[in-house]
Amino acid sequence: MAEITLRQLAHSYLPSPSGPEDYAIREMDHVWHQGGAYALLGPSGCGKSTLLNIISGLLEPSSGEVLFDGERVNSLPPEQRNIAQVFQFPVVYDTMTVFDNLAFPLRNAGMSETQIREKVLEVADVLELTPQLKRKAKNLTADEKQKVSMGRGLVREDVSAILFDEPLTVIDPQLKWKLRRKLKEIHRRFNITMVYVTHDQLEASTFADKIAVMYEGQVVQFGTPRELYERPAHTFVGYFIGSPGMNLLDVSVKDDQVRCGEVVVPVAPKVRDIIARSSSDNIRLGIRPDFVEVFETAQEDSLAVEVVNAQDLGTYSILTLALGDVTLKARIDEDQATPKGKAYIRFPQARLGVYIDEYRVETDHE
């Protein structure tokens, strides 16, 4: 098991990159601590798989360093890094039994058959593969094959980390929750450093203790699922995490008031001062739909809105609201009456984020 450190790491597929847009991975510093369960989350094309392949040794970075427990491994091939990688599509030896698939890396390492049998039976029990041990791999279902792929990494006692590259893509949706739960159980039992690449925020949140959110080749926030939800460090995190995503309002200061278009938005003096002092023309207020307070009558510091639509989702409803020329979302619980026509909303100051040039700025309320 290893601590994986990325130091001033960057990668471009072009021979002579001329600007940030030419890089699949923009310069970054990042640490995956030994024994952690991490997710690398982001949309297609953001650089997730490129980063994973650099860590595993399938790709050498254009610049910077990859360190395993402080040792530089840039030029080491995957087999010398002791990395196990599980891909989107299961990689198994169809003509071998499940037992022989799991035993394969141990036999290559010269382990005795007695030790091999003990280790294979332990891992098969954890993965619920014991009844399939004598079956040929070609006769397995897709999820069983993927569990065999995972098992080949788990049997190895020398493995530094296991990297999962969207491993549940081909799995039946009804089985995904079961495999995610199984991965958590495996991590607790074996204490192996695990990095799980996905574009699915639910997969990331249910698997990982900490999530690295990638956007345009950069890790824009690294934190717990709760931190990403409650305090997005970048507007992309606010947009990408949550359904619906964070409301973002373009604002400026005019006549000593914070305005969104022609609407005056009540904010704390500290927030107003931060916005007034900034020279940027890219300033936004962000708030989750969950945190928007909705009323049927006017309240102190509330704003009048038009109710455009209400979507009943059983235990809660999602409202689409028009605040001047801006469309917002708000979530209300099932026990709250759904307003029709006109309503009033309020933004709790403790839940309101200020974003300048896409990044969150600290305020006294945080």
Side-chain angles (χ1 to χ4, degrees):
M1 292 172 282
E3 178 177 275
I4 302 169
T5 302
L6 311 177
R7 184 180 295 165
Q8 296 181 323
L9 188 79
H11 185 74
S12 175
Y13 290 101
L14 300 178
S16 302
S18 59
E21 67 278 358
D22 292 338
Y23 282 84
I25 300 294
R26 302 188 190 186
E27 187 172 300
M28 69 167 66
D29 294 277
H30 198 67
V31 178
W32 312 100
H33 293 288
Q34 186 275 318
Y38 301 105
L40 194 55
L41 175 67
S44 298
C46 72
K48 303 187 303 293
S49 293
T50 295
L51 185 57
L52 204 69
N53 289 336
I54 288 172
I55 294 171
S56 69
L58 294 173
L59 188 64
E60 188 166 348
S62 303
S63 61
E65 295 181 308
V66 180
L67 307 172
F68 281 22
D69 289 334
E71 297 293 324
R72 191 176 190 272
V73 298
N74 285 42
S75 57
L76 289 185
E79 60 270 19
Q80 291 184 31
R81 299 188 189 196
N82 296 324
I83 287 286
Q85 192 158 356
V86 180
F87 299 94
Q88 289 184 23
F89 301 99
V91 179
V92 298
Y93 303 110
D94 280 342
T95 57
M96 291 184 182
T97 64
V98 171
F99 184 97
D100 288 337
N101 264 277
L102 296 176
F104 187 79
L106 303 180
R107 286 174 176 151
N108 280 349
M111 187 179 285
S112 72
E113 285 298 318
T114 301
Q115 290 175 302
I116 289 172
R117 179 173 179 79
E118 182 180 325
K119 193 67 179 176
V120 168
L121 291 178
E122 178 189 8
V123 170
D125 178 60
V126 172
L127 289 170
E128 299 178 355
L129 285 171
T130 303
Q132 283 81 36
L133 283 175
K134 294 181 180 179
R135 294 178 62 191
K136 296 284 189 183
K138 66 181 179 182
N139 298 322
L140 300 179
T141 62
D143 64 299
E144 288 171 338
K145 287 183 178 181
Q146 194 62 292
K147 286 198 286 186
V148 173
S149 291
M150 295 174 189
R152 280 211 306 271
L154 291 170
V155 294
R156 294 168 49 190
E157 295 183 344
D158 65 339
V159 70
S160 298
I162 301 181
L163 311 180
F164 299 93
D165 193 355
E166 308 219 30
L168 304 184
T169 300
V170 299
I171 306 302
D172 187 294
Q174 293 181 342
L175 296 171
K176 284 187 177 184
W177 70 271
K178 190 174 182 180
L179 279 180
R180 285 198 298 264
R181 185 192 65 188
K182 186 58 62 179
L183 283 174
K184 288 290 284 185
E185 180 185 326
I186 288 167
H187 180 257
R188 285 193 297 268
R189 182 161 177 173
F190 293 97
N191 194 35
I192 298 172
T193 306
M194 292 184 174
V195 182
Y196 187 107
V197 168
T198 181
H199 63 272
D200 186 322
Q201 59 177 287
L202 178 61
E203 284 189 12
S205 298
T206 53
F207 168 77
D209 299 322
K210 284 197 171 183
I211 300 171
V213 181
M214 286 196 72
Y215 176 63
E216 294 186 344
Q218 294 179 300
V219 174
V220 291
Q221 187 171 1
F222 182 58
T224 64
R226 183 172 181 174
E227 288 168 346
L228 299 182
Y229 191 81
E230 294 190 352
R231 298 187 68 254
H234 190 279
T235 55
F236 175 77
V237 180
Y239 159 78
F240 194 69
I241 302 288
S243 181
M246 174 178 274
N247 296 303
L248 292 163
L249 292 76
D250 292 300
V251 294
S252 60
V253 172
K254 183 179 179 182
D255 298 329
D256 208 32
Q257 294 176 313
V258 173
R259 295 173 181 264
C260 175
E262 295 302 315
V263 178
V264 175
V265 181
V267 298
K270 173 74 171 180
V271 172
R272 181 200 59 214
D273 293 345
I274 288 172
I275 296 171
R277 286 196 303 266
S278 175
S279 59
S280 174
D281 58 1
N282 179 9
I283 306 175
R284 292 193 266 185
L285 296 178
I287 188 166
R288 293 281 183 195
D290 307 39
F291 304 146
V292 176
E293 297 177 346
V294 180
F295 308 97
E296 292 188 89
T297 58
Q299 307 288 317
E300 183 181 359
D301 287 339
S302 65
L303 299 167
V305 293
E306 294 295 325
V307 180
V308 178
N309 183 51
Q311 184 180 12
D312 187 349
L313 297 174
T315 56
Y316 64 92
S317 293
I318 299 295
L319 305 180
T320 302
L321 309 169
L323 175 67
D325 295 330
V326 176
T327 300
L328 302 175
K329 300 286 187 181
R331 171 173 164 160
I332 60 172
D333 293 330
E334 61 179 336
D335 57 358
Q336 183 174 350
T338 302
K340 294 180 174 60
K342 194 172 186 178
Y344 296 86
I345 61 172
R346 184 166 59 198
F347 303 143
Q349 294 299 307
R351 297 296 193 177
L352 197 61
V354 181
Y355 294 85
I356 299 178
D357 296 330
E358 311 304 336
Y359 283 91
R360 192 181 189 102
V361 177
E362 294 297 324
T363 69
D364 287 343
H365 296 287
E366 300 182 302

